Amino acid sequence: MESDYDDLDRRLVHALQVDGRAPFSTIAAVLGVSDRTVARRYARLRSAGAVRVLGGIDPTALGAVLWLLRVRCAPSASVAVAEALARRPETSWVSLSSGGTEITCTVRAESEADSEALLLARLPRTPRVEGVSAHSVLHTFYGGPDSLIAKLGPLGAQAVEALRPAPPPNPLESPEPPVPPRPLPDRSGPVRLDDGDRRLLAALAADGRAGFEQLAELTGWSPSTVRRRMTELRERGVLYLDIDCDKRLLGAGTRTLLWLSVAPPHLEAAGRALAGHPEVAFAAATTGPTNLYATVVCADQRALYRYLTTRVAALPAVLQVETAPVIRTVKQAAPRA
């Protein structure tokens, strides 16, 4: 389908990245086309599997712990082990790299206590797994609600600002006090979800543009309650809207994983600089023998070489860099709540 992608497709995808639930009328006004054209383009791209708007979840807002796992195994076993990991609900971004001898994935543990059980008991137990290293994510510099599409998309700053959702109204300025569907949890700690929240988030994980009436049927709430709860979850940082799209649509290349060792006094500066690179899709500080991790996307090997020898080389106090090109992505979707 690559030959069918055009500038309007790319601008539409960028618009959805800014606000995945923006009305087609709003997107059409910004893009300078009709509502019907936007609806037809989105339907075509979605039916072809080229674009999906998904509700993403930040597990850290729920008190969960994120781990980056590097699983080394025999080449003959790597695919089977990767697929076993991909079937687990708490995993995401399960990838084969390093010539097929290493599996990298993101794993969510519900708590610090759960981390021990995960790492010691729940990983695939097979003699074909030769070693596992686990890196706890301490701080995310770029990723989650921050998408690579924001860096690669063709829309200008004025169009992006026009599409950006308006901030929620200040209750103190409202003529009538708002009536929440239930008391909000303590904002100083992790958000606690109930069964209705989980049904809502599961529905949005399948279709981030699902209508309020449809979501009301799935949750057993009223449409107004669904709307308010979605707003609350987004304000608390639990829910964000993500875009899953064909990498060819925006001309993205292949992924490469970077594991960097940075002198601790310069870790924050290096992480912030890395987050600003147009090639970086994800960047985080981690525990382990390396303390800075990134997923980068370059057009080809030459572009990767230029990136490593220019932007990465200019990062402060980088002591070591390990690169691992991804040869296959077995699972991409984020784990559900």
Side-chain angles (χ1 to χ4, degrees):
M1 188 176 173
E2 184 176 7
S3 60
D4 294 334
Y5 297 148
D6 61 16
D7 183 61
L8 180 56
D9 293 329
R10 290 184 281 272
R11 290 190 294 140
L12 173 55
V13 170
H14 194 178
L16 290 169
Q17 185 277 323
V18 178
D19 183 5
R21 292 186 65 87
F24 287 148
S25 58
T26 301
I27 296 175
V30 172
L31 300 188
V33 296
S34 69
D35 300 12
R36 181 175 297 181
T37 296
V38 170
R40 186 170 58 246
R41 285 297 183 102
Y42 175 72
R44 179 175 68 88
L45 292 170
R46 190 172 188 272
S47 63
V51 172
R52 292 190 304 159
V53 179
L54 307 173
I57 300 170
D58 181 357
T60 59
L62 303 175
V65 181
L66 283 182
W67 293 88
L68 293 171
L69 298 187
R70 304 181 71 178
V71 181
R72 297 179 301 281
C73 54
S76 61
S78 59
V79 173
V81 174
E83 290 176 346
L85 284 168
R87 287 191 292 269
R88 304 198 62 87
E90 67 268 28
T91 65
S92 61
W93 290 105
V94 181
S95 304
L96 291 171
S97 61
S98 301
T101 61
E102 183 171 280
I103 302 161
T104 304
C105 67
T106 303
V107 184
R108 182 190 68 202
E110 296 298 332
S111 64
E112 294 283 357
D114 193 46
S115 296
E116 181 178 352
L118 167 73
L119 299 175
L120 298 180
R122 287 193 235 152
L123 289 175
R125 288 182 173 274
T126 168
R128 297 176 298 178
V129 173
E130 299 173 351
V132 177
S133 61
H135 306 249
S136 177
V137 175
L138 301 176
H139 177 75
T140 300
F141 294 105
Y142 195 85
D146 300 317
S147 169
L148 188 62
I149 298 172
K151 298 178 177 181
L152 300 179
L155 295 181
Q158 185 174 355
V160 169
E161 191 58 35
L163 288 161
R164 200 178 301 282
N170 187 341
L172 298 179
E173 299 174 356
S174 177
E176 297 183 1
V179 181
R182 58 188 149 173
L184 289 176
D186 180 6
R187 290 182 179 271
S188 63
V191 179
R192 302 303 177 191
L193 304 180
D194 61 21
D195 290 342
D197 292 325
R198 295 181 186 278
R199 288 192 293 268
L200 173 63
L201 293 172
L204 291 170
D207 181 6
R209 289 187 64 87
F212 291 116
E213 293 288 346
Q214 178 185 352
L215 294 171
E217 292 180 6
L218 293 170
T219 58
W221 297 336
S222 68
S224 60
T225 298
V226 169
R227 184 190 296 269
R228 284 194 294 264
R229 188 54 176 161
M230 282 182 61
T231 299
E232 293 165 6
L233 292 172
R234 293 182 76 173
E235 289 176 351
R236 295 294 304 275
V238 175
L239 171 67
Y240 63 91
L241 295 176
D242 197 6
I243 306 296
D244 180 16
C245 74
D246 185 339
K247 65 181 183 180
R248 298 172 300 171
L249 206 153
L250 292 175
T254 56
R255 291 192 303 131
T256 300
L257 313 181
L258 302 185
W259 305 86
L260 301 91
S261 295
V262 180
H266 300 277
L267 179 59
E268 176 73 14
R272 288 183 177 274
L274 198 64
H277 294 175
E279 298 86 353
V280 171
F282 180 82
T286 72
T287 62
T290 58
N291 57 1
L292 185 59
Y293 167 84
T295 301
V296 303
V297 178
C298 297
D300 51 33
Q301 294 290 79
R302 290 184 178 181
L304 175 61
Y305 175 77
R306 287 194 299 272
Y307 173 66
L308 293 173
T309 55
T310 54
R311 295 185 189 275
V312 174
L315 292 174
V318 174
L319 307 175
Q320 179 182 347
V321 180
E322 181 183 352
T323 61
V326 172
I327 61 175
R328 179 181 170 187
T329 301
V330 181
K331 181 181 181 181
Q332 178 170 320
R336 294 183 179 181

